[in-house]
Amino acid sequence: MLRVRTTSGNPEGAPERVVPAPEVTGGFREIGRYELVDPTGTVDAVVVDDEPLEPAPNARLGERAWRWLPGFYAGEVAAEARIGDRAVARFRLDVSPDPRKAGREVFDAMVDELWAEDPALVLGVEPATTRVGRLDAAQNPWIEFERLRRNAPAFLRALDEVVRRPRARLVAEREDRPAHRVRRVDRGTARTALRNPATLALLRPGLEAPTGAEPRFDVPRVTESLDSAANRALAALAAAALARTRSLLRVLERLALADDEESATRSALAKRWPERRRVLVGVERELTRRLRRQPFPSVRRHEVTSAGLVAVDADPAYARAWSCGWRALRRGIGGERNAERHWLSPTWEVYERWCFVRMARELRDEHAELAWTRSVPRDLHVNADAAWSGEANGRRLTILLQPRFPSLPSGCEAGPWSISKSRIPDIVVVDEADGRDLRFGVYDAKYRTARASLMDAMASAHIYRDSLRWAGQRVDGSVLLTPDVALAPELATTEYLDRHGCGGRPMLPDVATG
């Protein structure tokens, strides 16, 4: 349906048209410039990862076109062509890394290595997606949103089937009735009748009934009730889905509005939030409507019991509703990856985190005599996104991912600080001996492979070398990590690092050299 038009400066190899899902259209590249064209002029809008694209200013007569500028991300992107509010076609677009970087094979190898270490380091909020698992307890609100959006329609349809044919249970009760309304009696009825003078007089002619007393009988009655274990369990699941939806509306709106500033290296969440808010509001409305219909109003309490799960499993409609609801609410991203997909971090951030994982592994292998833990030592007085720390015989090595160096000591000169503004280097390695002698090195990861870009990136190495302090100590060395330092070989020499206090080091997955 849609054709692809490349604009000036775009790399070659772009596809001529996009094909409908489930087929994947490849050939797109990050930081590329494309126009998605509808030659028929019937499509009203094109949405990529919930963000409506801007119309292209140079659309030809009789057609409509939209500009798409992929940011710093690589992976699979979801897109839709819409007429009004209705999606008339869905697409899966594959975006490759910038060819000036290390290439798609290398990027995929970094993602796989990160996944094996810690899946949370892979995921982000960029439009590109990757396959995720469903084990462990890790979670974040965007994963919760995507799982809810993906599974809520099937859950709502399954609830409709339950509403049409709800499970009921038989409830045995007793009721006091006059004689002319008695249809069935049991031993209990006989026992109470013999203790009631008015009833006894009715049964035995000749006995005089008390004045004003009416003969009544305590009879059994069997009724149907929708307050069953299965309905209680399903009501608890639907209520949990509704609570999750309302929580996501609050949390994600706060995150999206806090990320409304334009950034050259990240995609703005604020532009995608209106569509995602519309989805959540619709799910909230539909769940509320179904919880107001029988059997759920008849349920006295929401609870999940073993009896309820057995009853749910015995009924295909209930089992289907439970399965869909569980998939919408389940936790976990680890384990073997499956068909479920989630958003990635930008390519440069994937490289930064991969460098941390690879360096941490090298340190652990090189210093196997240390007892390693995945934590930040409290006495370092530092906040970081991730860390590994090894200690033995009075020596401690710590590697930190994006530690914070606040501006000036802030009352704690024993920790990290900056003599200028606050800094957040990518990786810092701290070497301590006997708790007194402390040395630290800084590593800045730059996902670039052009000489001009490398030399420009050295500015950050200079800044970190001159501005960062830890317990009063200056940086021992500031190193630039890059996929191809061979374009500036002088940076990678020991002499250069010793002389200038900064330098470069190549960092690339093994697949690039194998």
Side-chain angles (χ1 to χ4, degrees):
M1 177 181 291
L2 297 181
R3 298 184 180 275
V4 180
R5 182 185 300 154
T6 59
T7 59
S8 60
N10 189 71
E12 298 180 358
E16 295 183 359
R17 58 174 55 84
V18 294
V19 295
E23 297 297 322
V24 179
T25 305
F28 298 102
R29 291 176 177 172
E30 65 169 323
I31 329 175
R33 295 176 179 273
Y34 306 94
E35 289 183 1
L36 303 181
V37 181
D38 171 28
T40 66
T42 59
V43 173
D44 295 326
V46 174
V47 177
V48 175
D49 190 49
D50 299 323
E51 179 181 348
L53 299 183
E54 295 182 359
N58 57 342
R60 299 168 186 170
L61 185 64
E63 70 178 20
R64 302 193 68 183
W66 296 265
R67 292 189 302 174
W68 181 36
L69 311 176
F72 289 87
Y73 57 82
E76 189 176 300
V77 183
E80 289 183 350
R82 295 181 178 177
I83 296 179
D85 292 332
R86 182 172 60 92
V88 294
R90 291 181 170 85
F91 312 97
R92 296 165 62 186
L93 313 179
D94 186 71
V95 182
S96 298
D98 188 332
R100 292 171 294 180
K101 297 179 180 178
R104 183 56 178 266
E105 185 180 13
V106 172
F107 181 78
D108 291 342
M110 289 191 294
V111 170
D112 290 341
E113 194 169 336
L114 274 176
W115 190 269
E117 176 77 16
D118 183 357
L121 294 175
V122 180
L123 303 183
V125 295
E126 292 299 315
T129 63
T130 188
R131 296 179 186 274
V132 301
R134 58 190 181 198
L135 302 178
D136 70 46
Q139 191 73 325
N140 71 43
W142 292 113
I143 290 178
E144 294 177 355
F145 166 75
E146 182 59 20
R147 283 179 171 159
L148 186 68
R149 174 167 66 176
R150 183 182 299 270
N151 295 288
F155 184 42
L156 293 171
R157 290 193 298 269
L159 288 179
D160 287 338
E161 189 174 352
V162 169
V163 167
R164 286 193 293 270
R165 294 191 301 274
R167 286 177 65 93
R169 66 186 179 99
L170 297 178
V171 179
E173 299 176 338
R174 303 198 70 84
E175 184 178 30
D176 191 42
R177 289 187 176 185
H180 68 279
R181 293 188 56 197
V182 173
R183 297 292 182 269
R184 179 171 176 264
V185 297
D186 60 6
R187 292 182 179 181
T189 306
R191 284 195 298 267
T192 56
L194 294 175
R195 293 195 296 267
N196 187 338
T199 307
L200 191 60
L202 179 65
L203 297 175
R204 295 184 61 182
L207 291 179
E208 184 177 352
T211 304
E214 180 184 0
R216 302 186 68 87
F217 293 85
D218 180 43
V219 297
R221 184 183 66 163
V222 178
T223 61
E224 286 190 346
S225 173
L226 295 176
D227 185 25
S228 65
N231 291 333
R232 290 178 182 179
L234 204 54
L237 186 66
L242 181 59
R244 171 73 59 83
T245 305
R246 290 170 174 170
S247 172
L248 288 175
L249 275 168
R250 297 190 301 269
V251 173
L252 297 186
E253 184 167 33
R254 184 171 65 250
L255 292 176
L257 295 182
D259 191 53
D260 61 349
E261 296 182 2
E262 291 292 332
S263 171
T265 58
R266 290 185 185 272
S267 303
L269 289 173
K271 294 180 179 180
R272 289 174 267 167
W273 173 239
E275 173 66 17
R276 294 175 182 180
R277 186 181 187 280
R278 183 188 67 81
V279 170
L280 288 172
V281 169
V283 172
E284 180 189 28
R285 180 179 62 252
E286 295 304 318
L287 282 172
T288 301
R289 286 177 54 191
R290 282 156 180 81
L291 282 171
R292 289 173 178 169
R293 299 173 63 186
Q294 294 293 356
F296 304 116
S298 296
V299 171
R300 288 179 296 175
R301 60 182 179 274
H302 297 171
E303 62 179 6
V304 180
T305 63
S306 57
L309 294 178
V310 169
V312 163
D313 188 57
D315 188 303
Y318 278 71
R320 187 161 39 251
W322 184 269
S323 176
C324 294
W326 178 84
R327 285 197 296 269
L329 296 178
R330 71 167 178 253
R331 303 179 66 86
I333 57 175
E336 184 178 351
R337 286 186 271 180
N338 53 33
E340 191 178 24
R341 308 187 70 88
H342 192 65
W343 296 293
L344 278 169
S345 296
T347 52
W348 55 266
E349 190 168 65
V350 168
Y351 182 67
E352 290 175 1
R353 295 174 177 182
W354 174 82
C355 287
F356 166 77
V357 167
R358 174 58 65 91
M359 289 183 63
R361 184 176 304 157
E362 290 175 353
L363 281 177
R364 298 196 304 272
D365 292 342
E366 184 178 351
H367 300 277
E369 75 280 2
L370 302 181
W372 289 93
T373 59
R374 194 169 178 179
S375 60
V376 180
R378 290 187 178 182
D379 58 340
L380 282 183
H381 307 287
V382 62
N383 292 322
D385 289 349
W388 277 95
S389 183
E391 186 172 3
N393 301 323
R395 187 187 184 188
R396 184 170 69 188
L397 279 176
T398 304
I399 182 169
L400 304 161
L401 174 64
Q402 295 193 327
R404 277 63 168 174
F405 284 69
S407 179
L408 303 178
S410 302
C412 184
E413 296 190 14
W417 53 282
S418 167
I419 65 172
S420 56
K421 72 173 187 177
S422 298
R423 307 283 182 187
I424 306 178
D426 294 333
I427 301 168
V428 170
V429 177
V430 184
D431 189 353
E432 303 169 89
D434 299 322
R436 296 188 301 273
D437 184 18
L438 182 147
R439 303 171 59 192
F440 74 104
V442 176
Y443 299 84
D444 188 37
K446 296 296 184 184
Y447 197 32
R448 304 176 185 179
T449 57
R451 177 179 172 84
S453 298
L454 293 181
M455 301 310 291
D456 179 66
M458 281 298 294
S460 63
H462 300 157
I463 292 172
Y464 292 145
R465 177 198 62 188
D466 297 334
S467 65
L468 301 186
R469 302 288 186 271
W470 200 311
Q473 301 296 315
R474 298 172 66 97
V475 176
D476 197 55
S478 183
V479 179
L480 189 72
L481 305 177
T482 177
D484 191 4
V485 79
L487 296 171
E490 66 276 14
L491 300 179
T493 64
T494 303
E495 179 185 359
Y496 191 96
L497 180 62
D498 293 342
R499 182 177 180 183
H500 302 291
C502 57
R505 175 189 170 183
M507 288 288 289
L508 208 58
D510 299 334
V511 67
T513 58

